[in-house]
Structures are given as structure tokens and as C-alpha cells.
Amino acid sequence: MFIKNISIKNFRNIKEINLDLNNNYNFFYGLNGQGKTSILESIYILSLIKSFRSNSDRLLINHNNDNYELIGLLSSDKNHVFQVRIYFSTSDGKNIFLNSERINKISNFIGEIPSIFLSLDSLSVINGDPSFRRKFLDILLCQTSPLYLKSLQLYKSALNQRNQLLNNIYARLDDRRSLLSWDEQIAKYGAEILLFRTRVVEYLSHKTNNFYKKLSKKNDEIEIQYNSNIEIENGLNSGSVKDYYLNKLIQNYDTDIERKFTKFGPHRDDLIILKNGYSFKDFASTGENKTLVLSLKFSEAEYLYANKKEKPLLLMDDIFGELDEVRTDSLLSLTIFWLKTGPSFHENIIYIHQRFPSQDH
Ligand SMILES: Nc1ncnc2c1ncn2[C@@H]1O[C@H](COP(=O)(O)OP(=O)(O)O)[C@@H](O)[C@H]1O
Ligand SMILES: [Mg+2]
């Protein structure tokens, strides 16, 4: 997949621009605050509907306006050309159009434009709290499976309802027998989520280990494990995970009511990342952290490619300049770096750099 053209109106500090993009590498460079990240952000929104740096679309509208519009003209790897338009206004909210036809459900759209995004903030996947790691898995799986996205939406909604009910039961406004119908939904969708995540982590662990060796030129073993508080044994199907999970919820009524939240389930899970058997984040150097995050992102790109049969857009915001191990002293060396170490495909990269690479040293 690649973006042939993007048109941006009233978005961040951009009043109006129209850009033709190349189907290989696109480099943007310029001074601080010129709007480079905003261009990347608009492409990210065309792919995933939400921004990576704001939860409020109102903040994205250029000051003194009441709407923004993003139009992307995309081409699939097989040259199928289509248009995506996102129009947000303060009065009407967000509207998504695929070839002028309005999309009513986000789950019918996510995954049309597979993408990965990498910035220095991506380091939070290693160093940040567990929610960053869950979000990383969720964004990847939502792009490859509408079923996952649906299960995740239904799980979150059932969990909110259950937690609300726990509050009411604690305040003696409701009876604990009303928990069971939510428990069943949580166990059903939660089991789906667990199995999806367990499988993708197996894939990522293997790929990340390979990329890490290639990038660091060392023989360290990287392993990523999915750490769930619902135990999954090998070969269990979603039915038996669901039954196990349901029992766990029922057994913990007393503590859940006491704490007014649901203790067990994928909303509390995490990833464990190990280097040679030791916790990565506790022992790794800054350079190793960056190498790992790049390996993880390359693996994410490979996973998208394997599942969508479409090369994802690789959106990179100012990362090479910070990567110790890699000399990025020219456009050429950046390109060679990608060819040598990156995913099995090398196209569709939109790359932001603070300065033109050759000025870097
Ligand atoms: N809603 C908005 N309206 C107008 N300007 C904005 C808005 N949001 C952010 N900005 C400004 O847009 C500029 C561009 O930011 P950014 O895209 O992050 O720049 P770069 O990546 O080139 O350093 C910043 O100066 C920021 O203050
Ligand atoms: Mg920037």
C-alpha cells in the first residue's frame, strides 16, 4: 500500500496543503514546529481514525476554524486505487468516507490502510506501564482482525457495566446475582482476546529476536511472553479458556466487590520481555532499548504484511537521529540501513527527520 496523494485542510498548523507522495521513501525535514509530525499524524488518522497524540479531535482543528478535513488517495500493492476522506466538525463529529461512501462502523474500516507508527514515544512499549503494551497489541490486532476489534469493544463495554455494578453492590443498591450475565460476556470476549494476543505474541517474540540479532550484531536472545492472570495452557480452545475465566470471576466476587473493580482479565495483562532470560527493561542500556523497539516495530510490520497481504505504511517520526548504533549521516546510508535490517519489504516509508540527514554530523 502507498499514499499517492494527501490533502490536508485546517489541521494543526496546516491551513491547506496538497502533497503527491512517492511509492517508496518519503523524507520530510525542516525546523521545529513546521508541521512535519502533523503531516504524519494526518496519515495515521486516515489509517486508524484516532490521533497518536491527542484524544480530542477538537484540539486537532486549526485555531479559529470549526472543522478539519483529510483526504488520502491510496494505492494497494496490486494498484487498486481508492480514496479515504475524514471530515471532522465541532457540530457534526467525525465522518469517514471510503470512495465517497460513508462508513458507519469503524470495524468496517480499520485495516483498510495497514500502518505502523514509530517515534521516540514508542519506547513506552518497553519502559512504560502495562497499558502501553496492551495498546500496542490491540492496535496491531484490530488492524488484522475485525473479530478482535469487535470482541475488544464488547469486552470493554461489559467490563465497564460490571464495574459499575460492583460499585452498586458495594453500596447495597444491587444484588450480586446480577453479576452473572456480565461475567458470561466478559469471559466469552475476554477468552477471544486472550487467545488472539497469545498467538500474536508468539509470532512477535520469534521475529523480534531475529531482528534484534541483526540490528545489534550480537547473539543475545530476546524472548517476549504474554503474561496473563488467566492461565492459558497450550492447546486450550476459547471454550475452555472461557469456562476457566468465568469460574475465576465467580470465585472472586468478594474481593471484586470490596475493591469495586474486576481483578482478573486481559485488561490487566502485560508482556514480559527478556534478554538472555533477564527482564529487558531492568537491565538494558538506552541503545538496547532503542534497538529493541525498532525490532518490535519491524516485527509488527511483518505481521501486518503476512496477515493483510499488503505492505503497511511505515510512519517514522524522527527516530534515526537518536539511534546510537546506526550512523545516519546520509540519505543513502539510511536507505541501506533499511534494506539490510528492515522488514522483508522496503517500500512505503514516510520518514520525518528534524534536519536533512546529511547535516547531521
Ligand atoms: N490546533 C492547532 N492549531 C494551530 N496550530 C497548532 C495546533 N496544534 C498544534 N499546533 C502547532 O503546530 C505546530 C506544528 O507542530 P508539529 O507538527 O509537531 O511540528 P514539527 O513536527 O515540524 O516539529 C506547533 O508549533 C504547534 O504549536
Ligand atoms: Mg515533530
Side-chain angles (χ1 to χ4, degrees):
M1 170 124 339
F2 78 99
I3 304 199
K4 290 161 84 79
N5 180 279
I6 183 164
S7 149
I8 305 174
K9 262 190 210 150
N10 298 334
F11 183 83
R12 297 281 193 191
N13 66 336
I14 302 168
K15 284 260 178 243
E16 185 164 2
I17 54 167
N18 188 295
L19 293 169
D20 285 326
L21 297 173
N22 191 290
N23 68 357
N24 272 300
Y25 297 85
N26 292 278
F27 293 89
F28 292 86
Y29 64 98
L31 300 174
N32 254 330
Q34 282 198 311
K36 303 181 296 298
T37 299
S38 303
I39 293 173
L40 216 59
E41 188 178 24
S42 67
I43 297 171
Y44 185 95
I45 294 174
L46 283 172
S47 162
L48 290 165
I49 312 299
K50 276 186 178 169
S51 164
F52 50 76
R53 55 177 177 173
S54 173
N55 284 324
S56 159
D57 279 285
R58 281 170 184 263
L59 301 178
L60 308 180
I61 301 177
N62 184 248
H63 299 323
N64 305 321
N65 284 286
D66 62 6
N67 68 76
Y68 74 75
E69 182 184 57
L70 311 171
I71 301 175
L73 190 66
L74 291 114
S75 170
S76 74
D77 294 347
K78 293 197 175 103
N79 294 323
H80 165 66
V81 176
F82 61 99
Q83 190 206 57
V84 175
R85 171 171 173 253
I86 293 190
Y87 178 79
F88 174 82
S89 72
T90 45
S91 53
D92 242 14
K94 190 148 40 185
N95 290 291
I96 308 159
F97 301 88
L98 181 60
N99 290 329
S100 305
E101 211 169 293
R102 193 166 155 191
I103 303 282
N104 293 319
K105 270 194 189 158
I106 286 182
S107 55
N108 291 341
F109 176 76
I110 300 283
E112 285 289 326
I113 308 175
S115 71
I116 69 154
F117 173 68
L118 179 56
S119 75
L120 284 180
D121 290 340
S122 308
L123 284 168
S124 310
V125 174
I126 302 170
N127 297 323
D129 65 47
S131 66
F132 286 101
R133 287 178 283 284
R134 290 192 295 266
K135 196 172 170 192
F136 165 73
L137 296 179
D138 288 344
I139 291 176
L140 176 56
L141 285 167
C142 285
Q143 291 192 71
T144 50
S145 166
L147 178 65
Y148 185 83
L149 175 55
K150 220 166 158 213
S151 300
L152 191 65
Q153 285 168 337
L154 293 168
Y155 178 83
K156 282 183 175 170
S157 141
L159 188 66
N160 280 337
Q161 304 276 3
R162 187 182 192 266
N163 287 343
Q164 185 57 49
L165 194 57
L166 289 170
N167 265 291
N168 290 348
I169 297 169
Y170 183 82
R172 301 192 190 285
L173 298 170
D174 221 319
D175 189 281
R176 66 169 64 195
R177 273 173 300 187
S178 357
L179 283 169
L180 193 60
S181 67
W182 296 118
D183 294 347
E184 274 170 357
Q185 290 204 40
I186 288 176
K188 179 177 171 207
Y189 300 120
E192 295 279 352
I193 293 170
L194 278 172
L195 291 172
F196 266 107
R197 286 188 185 169
T198 311
R199 269 183 248 128
V200 78
V201 169
E202 247 172 60
Y203 180 99
L204 292 174
S205 178
H206 172 70
K207 287 275 177 188
T208 304
N209 188 30
N210 290 345
F211 277 126
Y212 191 89
K213 285 189 199 319
K214 225 165 143 187
L215 278 167
S216 65
K217 301 193 180 73
K218 286 190 201 151
N219 220 11
D220 292 325
E221 290 295 328
I222 300 295
E223 196 189 335
I224 308 175
Q225 299 168 351
Y226 186 69
N227 185 25
S228 176
N229 54 24
I230 309 288
E231 289 149 44
I232 306 180
E233 284 159 27
N234 275 345
L236 278 187
N237 58 32
S238 82
S240 51
V241 174
K242 184 196 152 190
D243 292 344
Y244 180 84
Y245 187 4
L246 185 59
N247 268 329
K248 197 109 179 163
L249 289 167
I250 294 169
Q251 281 162 15
N252 280 279
Y253 276 177
D254 286 343
T255 35
D256 278 4
I257 293 167
E258 186 63 31
R259 294 180 186 180
K260 294 174 272 179
F261 77 84
T262 306
K263 186 177 171 197
F264 286 96
H267 61 289
R268 309 259 295 160
D269 288 350
D270 199 358
L271 293 178
I272 297 175
I273 307 175
L274 302 170
K275 188 183 99 178
N276 302 326
Y278 293 96
S279 161
F280 193 93
K281 70 173 167 199
D282 293 330
F283 297 104
S285 70
T286 314
E288 286 171 334
N289 274 312
K290 288 173 185 167
T291 305
L292 181 68
V293 90
L294 201 57
S295 311
L296 203 56
K297 286 285 166 177
F298 283 168
S299 309
E300 189 188 7
E302 291 275 4
Y303 184 81
L304 279 175
Y305 187 30
N307 280 271
K308 306 293 297 181
K309 309 282 179 261
E310 189 73 48
K311 297 166 189 167
L313 305 177
L314 308 180
L315 311 174
M316 335 253 322
D317 195 0
D318 226 345
I319 57 128
F320 282 114
E322 302 285 338
L323 197 80
D324 310 338
E325 287 85 351
V326 187
R327 280 177 57 80
T328 58
D329 49 6
S330 72
L331 210 55
L332 184 68
S333 74
L334 262 180
T335 312
I336 291 169
F337 168 77
W338 268 93
L339 292 174
K340 277 189 176 166
T341 50
S344 53
F345 51 91
H346 318 290
E347 296 140 58
N348 315 317
I349 297 167
I350 299 166
Y351 169 65
I352 299 281
H353 202 78
Q354 209 61 47
R355 289 152 292 167
F356 192 73
S358 61
Q359 296 170 3
D360 251 24
H361 57 119

